[in-house]
């Protein structure tokens, strides 16, 4: 604000809510009197640049609305905790407080329930219009909130500091998109893995006493495209019968090719388990839920030759949805990812997990690579 009185109602509401948590706000310095902006950003799991946009009033309307909802939920949880009183921190045999175990269980149960509500795990749904923010928002809030914290803390690690998963905790993002031509009754369908965000925390269970496993809750926003030429799958492979995709197909931007038409978005919620050993990081897991959001019909009609073709493609995508698209998130056959670093204590933001996988579509096997990049690490210090 810095002397600028042109504050928007959303900006003002955001500041007023934060004052309930951090005391009065100095409008001249754009700071709260009792807590630094960096500390507040850390509490709310924002980067300094994200929080700076919010506090200075330059964030978008959507960013302000999401931030306001996050702070409101934080206040609700604080009020709830105040009403209930402190929970006893009884120690288990592994040194983990029982209260932490209960919180972790409730967090996982709540997250899975919310995924079920949003995605309908039993039956993949299709929708004409959907607010994409809401699908990711609850997962984000479940982790980026100082009152619900599923992470194992530095002080909870064993005396010898051998607990590899502690350095894998945080937020991972899909490093690079990948494309897969897939088999249907007609040629021409392509699956583009566009975005994925995974929040990971140590798997707290008796079978993970050595800290060699972590779990990841992942939101994926992918796409289904149609090739008007309806070229067969093997035309996108290096040679007929090969499992390798042509580099020019991998590197192509479908938006720039008039032959390709985006039909739908695929929203998926996935829970994975990752085990760490000397050979690498092993991935397994399953889809919790999924839905399909069609591109508006007026947009499709403008790109396709006829309304009849549009109807056929929508029917085809609905048929895909009824099969629950299991192959598109389930790692049919993946090699372990190489350890980001030999010394797990040295793992840091920017490190990657690269899984080489094979996708089964009809009679075809197609190779693809799924890479995650650690873009927010919960524990940056090294256990000593």
């Amino acid at each position: 604000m810095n002397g600028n009185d042109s504050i928007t109602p959303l900006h003002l509401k955001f500041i007023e809510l934060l004052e309930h948590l951090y005391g009065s706000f100095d409008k001249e310095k754009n700071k709260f009197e009792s807590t630094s902006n960096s500390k507040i950003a850390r509490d709310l799991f924002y980067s300094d640049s994200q929080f700076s946009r919010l506090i200075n009033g330059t964030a978008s309307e959507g960013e302000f609305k999401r931030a306001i909802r996050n702070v409101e939920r934080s206040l609700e949880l604080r009020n709830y905790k105040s009403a209930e009183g402190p929970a006893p921190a009884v120690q288990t045999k592994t040194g983990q407080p029982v209260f932490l175990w209960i919180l972790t269980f409730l967090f996982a149960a709540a997250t899975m329930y919310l995924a079920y509500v949003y995605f309908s795990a039993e039956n993949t749904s299709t929708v004409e219009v959907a607010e994409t923010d809401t699908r990711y928002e609850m997962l984000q809030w479940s982790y980026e909130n100082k009152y619900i914290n599923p992470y194992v803390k530095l002080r909870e690690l064993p005396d010898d500091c051998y607990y590899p998963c502690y350095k894998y905790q945080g937020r991972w993002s899909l490093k690079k998109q990948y494309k897969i031509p897939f088999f249907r009754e007609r040629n021409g369908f392509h699956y583009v893995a566009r975005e994925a965000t995974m929040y990971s925390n140590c798997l707290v269970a008796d079978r993970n006493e050595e800290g060699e496993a972590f779990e990841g809750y992942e939101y994926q926003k992918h796409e289904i495209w149609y090739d008007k030429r309806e070229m067969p799958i093997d035309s996108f492979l290096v040679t007929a019968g090969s499992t390798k995709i042509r580099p020019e197909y991998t590197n192509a931007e479908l938006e720039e090719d008039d032959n390709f038409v985006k039909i739908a978005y695929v929203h998926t919620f996935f829970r994975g388990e990752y085990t760490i050993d000397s050979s690498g990081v092993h991935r397994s897991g399953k889809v919790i839920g999924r839905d399909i959001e069609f591109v508006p019909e007026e947009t499709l009609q403008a790109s396709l030759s006829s309304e009849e073709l549009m109807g056929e493609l929508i029917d085809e995508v609905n048929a895909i949805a009824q099969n629950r698209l299991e192959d598109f998130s389930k790692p049919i056959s993946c090699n372990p990812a190489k350890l980001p670093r030999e010394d797990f204590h040295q793992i840091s933001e920017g490190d990657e997990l690269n899984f080489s996988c094979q996708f089964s579509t009809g009679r075809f096997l197609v190779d693809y690579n799924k890479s995650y990049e650690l873009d927010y690490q919960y524990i940056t210090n090294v256990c000593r």
Side-chain angles (χ1 to χ4, degrees):
M1 301 188 324
N2 296 325
N4 182 0
D5 294 328
S6 58
I7 184 170
T8 67
L10 287 174
H11 185 193
L12 179 62
K13 184 174 182 180
F14 178 66
I15 297 297
E16 289 176 344
L17 287 170
L18 284 178
E19 285 184 312
H20 289 289
L21 293 171
Y22 298 104
S24 59
F25 181 72
D26 187 329
K27 296 180 180 180
E28 296 300 320
K29 297 180 180 178
N30 264 10
K31 291 183 178 180
F32 290 86
E33 291 184 356
S34 63
T35 310
S36 70
N37 287 349
S38 292
K39 173 64 166 58
I40 298 173
R42 193 76 169 174
D43 287 347
L44 299 176
F45 282 78
Y46 284 114
S47 67
D48 286 341
S49 60
Q50 285 175 312
F51 188 73
S52 178
R53 289 199 304 274
L54 290 164
I55 208 70
N56 288 295
T58 59
S60 68
E61 181 180 343
E63 286 178 304
F64 272 122
K65 287 180 177 178
R66 288 190 290 273
I68 287 169
R69 285 195 291 268
N70 287 342
V71 179
E72 285 175 338
R73 288 164 183 152
S74 296
L75 286 167
E76 288 171 2
L77 281 167
R78 187 188 69 167
N79 293 338
Y80 174 78
K81 288 175 66 178
S82 298
E84 290 294 306
V90 181
Q91 298 291 319
T92 67
K93 64 178 181 180
T94 59
Q96 296 271 359
V98 167
F99 181 53
L100 174 66
W101 283 61
I102 294 171
L103 272 183
T104 302
F105 171 78
L106 290 175
F107 161 79
T111 304
M112 293 176 72
Y113 171 75
L114 288 167
Y116 176 84
V117 170
Y118 279 124
F119 294 98
S120 180
E122 292 299 321
N123 295 292
T124 301
S125 62
T126 57
V127 294
E128 292 295 333
V129 179
E131 294 183 14
T132 56
D133 282 348
T134 60
R135 295 175 171 84
Y136 169 60
E137 191 177 65
M138 287 308 299
L139 172 62
Q140 180 186 37
W141 177 77
S142 297
Y143 277 88
E144 297 186 8
N145 184 297
K146 69 176 184 177
Y147 294 110
I148 298 179
N149 191 328
Y151 299 115
V152 169
K153 315 299 187 298
L154 200 58
R155 67 179 180 273
E156 296 163 351
L157 301 184
D159 292 340
D160 63 2
C161 287
Y162 184 81
Y163 211 76
C165 64
Y166 89 92
K167 279 299 210 175
Y168 290 84
Q169 295 184 122
R171 183 181 65 235
W172 301 75
S173 297
L174 187 67
K175 175 70 174 178
K176 186 178 180 182
Q177 69 180 46
Y178 56 89
K179 293 189 281 297
I180 301 172
F182 65 92
F183 186 81
R184 296 296 301 165
E185 282 70 17
R186 70 193 298 163
N187 289 315
F189 288 98
H190 298 259
Y191 188 75
V192 180
R194 187 72 71 181
E195 302 172 23
T197 302
M198 176 179 73
Y199 289 89
S200 60
N201 55 275
C202 286
L203 191 61
V204 181
D206 288 340
R207 57 192 172 91
N208 188 36
E209 291 184 355
E210 299 299 318
E212 294 174 341
F214 62 94
E215 62 182 346
Y217 288 92
E218 180 177 347
Y219 166 73
Q220 305 165 357
K221 183 181 180 181
H222 297 167
E223 300 165 354
I224 294 177
W225 288 72
Y226 167 69
D227 176 11
K228 290 185 280 190
R229 299 164 299 177
E230 297 194 353
M231 295 173 65
I233 288 178
D234 54 12
S235 64
F236 298 95
L237 305 177
V238 172
T239 58
S242 171
T243 61
K244 298 187 181 301
I245 293 174
R246 292 177 182 269
E248 55 267 31
Y249 171 74
T250 297
N251 297 325
E253 293 293 341
L254 299 189
E255 293 90 341
E256 299 174 2
D257 190 334
D258 291 339
N259 291 309
F260 289 90
V261 179
K262 186 191 297 181
I263 303 297
Y265 297 96
V266 182
H267 304 277
T268 303
F269 196 87
F270 184 88
R271 182 186 179 274
E273 288 194 11
Y274 300 80
T275 55
I276 309 162
D277 60 28
S278 58
S279 66
V281 179
H282 305 255
R283 177 179 184 247
S284 63
K286 66 178 182 177
V287 171
I288 295 177
R290 176 184 286 111
D291 73 349
I292 290 179
E293 172 194 0
F294 283 104
V295 170
E297 288 193 5
E298 58 270 22
T299 304
L300 288 177
Q301 284 181 341
S303 302
L304 298 172
S305 59
S306 68
E307 189 173 340
E308 180 182 1
L309 175 59
M310 182 185 70
E312 291 174 359
L313 295 177
I314 290 175
D315 288 344
E316 194 72 43
V317 173
N318 275 320
I320 294 169
Q322 290 169 6
N323 292 333
R324 299 184 61 195
L325 281 170
E326 289 187 2
D327 287 350
F328 298 134
S329 292
K330 181 179 177 182
I332 303 302
S333 177
C334 288
N335 294 323
K338 181 181 177 181
L339 295 172
R341 300 186 187 250
E342 290 299 322
D343 180 359
F344 63 83
H345 294 294
Q346 300 305 313
I347 293 174
S348 60
E349 292 176 4
D351 284 342
E352 299 176 16
L353 289 173
N354 298 293
F355 294 94
S356 296
C357 304
Q358 204 165 60
F359 172 81
S360 174
T361 175
R363 303 171 310 238
F364 294 87
L365 293 174
V366 179
D367 297 336
Y368 70 98
N369 181 268
K370 183 165 187 176
S371 297
Y372 298 93
E373 181 178 9
L374 181 59
D375 54 26
Y376 166 75
Q377 186 178 40
Y378 178 65
I379 297 178
T380 58
N381 289 328
V382 174
C383 179
R384 301 186 185 281

